Amino acid sequence: MNLTEAIVVKISHDLAGGIGAMASTTELMEIDPTFISEAGKMLKQNSLMLMARLRFYRALFGAETREINATIISDYLKTWGQKITFEGVVENRLQLSLVAVGIILLVQGGTITLHEKKVILQGPEISFRPDFESVLLGKKVPVTPETLEAHWLMHQLNALDKKLLMMKKSKTASLEISE
């Protein structure tokens, strides 16, 4: 799988649940007219989730834009089960990529703090899966949807001729962009 295929699979997977829920809601509205009063809330909730994820992925994988900001991250984080908070100012796609990697590493929730070229993660568990960590260490690992965020970050760093410095402990980690 190449990077483009992995991006398409990731986005499709992450949008599919919300799209399916909206389709089911509209079907139930046709079958049971009494459901219509509940349907509006469900449709709104799923449409907000889908828009938040779409904005995040557009900013992360699309062309560089001025629309990258902390609100995109906050809205995106609300769509996931684990409670992750974000602190800092994000201004570009490379910073957004650092945050995206942090989201993957904080499997049980926590805090992501961004300081220009460095992201600090704190949480009950920071999970560096071997394949994901290998990508971040610059090793050749096949691209999969599970390693996409790491591959995307490294792709951008390589294009800018920059490196990634990592520090990890059980409940804290940092990722820093260096020259």
Side-chain angles (χ1 to χ4, degrees), residues 163-175:
K163 305 282 182 221
L164 183 68
L165 303 175
M166 286 192 312
M167 181 283 302
K168 63 177 187 165
K169 297 179 182 174
S170 64
K171 296 182 185 215
T172 63
S174 68
L175 304 169

Side-chain angles (χ1 to χ4, degrees), residues 41-162:
K41 182 180 176 185
M42 294 174 74
L43 289 170
K44 183 175 182 176
Q45 181 181 355
N46 280 296
S47 65
L48 290 173
M49 181 270 292
L50 289 167
M51 288 307 299
R53 289 185 181 185
L54 181 61
R55 278 192 299 274
F56 183 83
Y57 290 135
R58 195 180 280 162
L60 182 61
F61 299 122
E64 188 74 38
T65 176
R66 293 184 191 157
E67 299 301 316
I68 295 175
N69 57 51
T71 303
I72 289 173
I73 296 168
S74 300
D75 291 346
Y76 178 75
L77 290 173
K78 291 174 190 170
T79 72
W80 295 105
Q82 72 271 36
K83 172 100 169 84
I84 299 175
T85 56
F86 173 75
E87 299 170 0
V89 176
V90 62
E91 299 173 328
N92 59 56
R93 189 171 59 187
L94 185 56
Q95 291 173 324
L96 191 60
S97 294
L98 277 173
V99 172
V101 166
I103 292 168
I104 300 299
L105 297 175
L106 288 173
V107 295
Q108 293 184 7
T111 302
I112 298 172
T113 306
L114 179 66
H115 301 282
E116 200 171 324
K117 295 181 179 183
K118 182 177 186 177
V119 70
I120 299 168
L121 310 173
Q122 295 176 306
E125 179 187 351
I126 312 238
S127 177
F128 278 88
R129 287 188 334 263
D131 56 345
F132 201 86
E133 182 175 15
S134 292
V135 174
L136 295 175
L137 291 170
K139 298 178 181 173
K140 296 287 183 196
V141 176
V143 178
T144 66
E146 293 78 23
T147 62
L148 174 61
E149 289 83 353
H151 277 288
W152 184 243
L153 174 60
M154 298 309 290
H155 169 77
Q156 291 177 82
L157 290 175
N158 290 336
L160 297 169
D161 200 28
K162 298 191 183 276

